Amino acid sequence: MKNLQRVEIITEKRSIDKILEIIENEGVTGYTVIGKVTGKGKRGVKHGDDLNDVFINSMIITVC
């Protein structure tokens, strides 16, 4: 059995393509993208109901 590390990246939707390009270039062969992630962080509450979905958070999950 191999030890794997789960990596979760939460970012704005507009950054997804660039981040996926970076992790694929590093050899990642699989990942999951979940859209409209909501929560609260340093910048306050992030809702999934913005008029413009460019700033809505998404989460990328992968293992390495």
Side-chain angles (χ1 to χ4, degrees), residues 46-61:
K46 194 74 161 183
H47 299 285
D49 58 357
D50 295 338
L51 293 176
N52 183 347
D53 69 350
V54 173
F55 298 107
I56 291 176
N57 280 344
S58 296
M59 179 167 58
I60 302 168
I61 304 170

Side-chain angles (χ1 to χ4, degrees):
M1 179 187 286
K2 293 182 180 181
N3 287 329
L4 299 175
Q5 182 68 43
R6 179 177 168 145
V7 177
E8 298 178 0
I9 302 168
I10 298 175
T11 187
E12 292 177 338
K13 181 179 176 182
R14 64 184 175 163
S15 301
I16 291 289
D17 291 337
K18 183 63 177 170
I19 292 171
L20 293 178
E21 179 183 332
I22 291 167
I23 66 173
E24 286 177 0
N25 287 339
E26 292 298 320
V28 172
T29 58
Y31 52 81
T32 300
V33 177
I34 301 171
K36 294 191 178 182
V37 177
T38 62
K40 182 178 178 182
K42 230 175 160 177
R43 296 185 225 164
V45 176
K46 194 74 161 183
H47 299 285
D49 58 357
D50 295 338
L51 293 176
N52 183 347
D53 69 350
V54 173
F55 298 107
I56 291 176
N57 280 344
S58 296
M59 179 167 58
I60 302 168
I61 304 170
T62 189
V63 294
C64 55

